[in-house]
Amino acid sequence: SQAALKNTDAAVAVYRELSADASNPRASDALFHIGTLYYDAGNYAEAAAAFSAVREKFPQSSQAPRADLNAGYSFFHLKDYD
C-alpha cells in the first residue's frame, strides 16, 4: 500500500543516516536493516546492494555473514547466479 511504502522510505532514510557514520557502533546494523526493508518490499536489487555493502564497509561486523547470505537470496530472486 502507499502508506507502507512511505513508512519504508522513511525508515530507509533514517537507517541511511545512521549507516553513513562508520564510527557509529550500529552503522552495520542500520545498513543490514535497509537491506531487509528492501527485501521485504520485493526490491531485490536495492536489497542486494545494501546487504553487499555491509560486507564491503563493515567486514568485521557480526552482521556480515548474514548479510552475505541475504545478498545471495536477493541475487537469486533477480536470477543473477554469478
Side-chain angles (χ1 to χ4, degrees), residues 7 11 24 30 39 43 53 55 58 64-66 71:
N7 288 341
N24 182 331
Y39 187 92
N43 187 340
R55 170 64 71 189
F58 306 101
R66 284 189 358 178

Side-chain angles (χ1 to χ4, degrees), residues 18 25 34-35 38 46:
L18 291 172
I34 291 170
Y38 280 134
E46 291 290 338

Side-chain angles (χ1 to χ4, degrees), residues 9-77:
D9 290 343
V12 167
V14 170
Y15 285 134
R16 281 208 190 281
E17 188 175 327
L18 291 172
S19 69
D21 179 5
S23 67
N24 182 331
R26 302 300 299 217
S28 65
D29 293 335
L31 198 50
F32 186 89
H33 287 304
I34 291 170
T36 301
L37 286 167
Y38 280 134
Y39 187 92
D40 290 345
N43 187 340
Y44 301 116
E46 291 290 338
F51 288 132
S52 295
V54 173
R55 170 64 71 189
E56 292 166 15
K57 294 181 179 181
F58 306 101
Q60 302 304 317
S61 167
S62 63
Q63 292 286 15
R66 284 189 358 178
D68 289 342
L69 179 64
N70 289 352
Y73 288 137
S74 300
F75 286 123
F76 178 81
H77 281 289

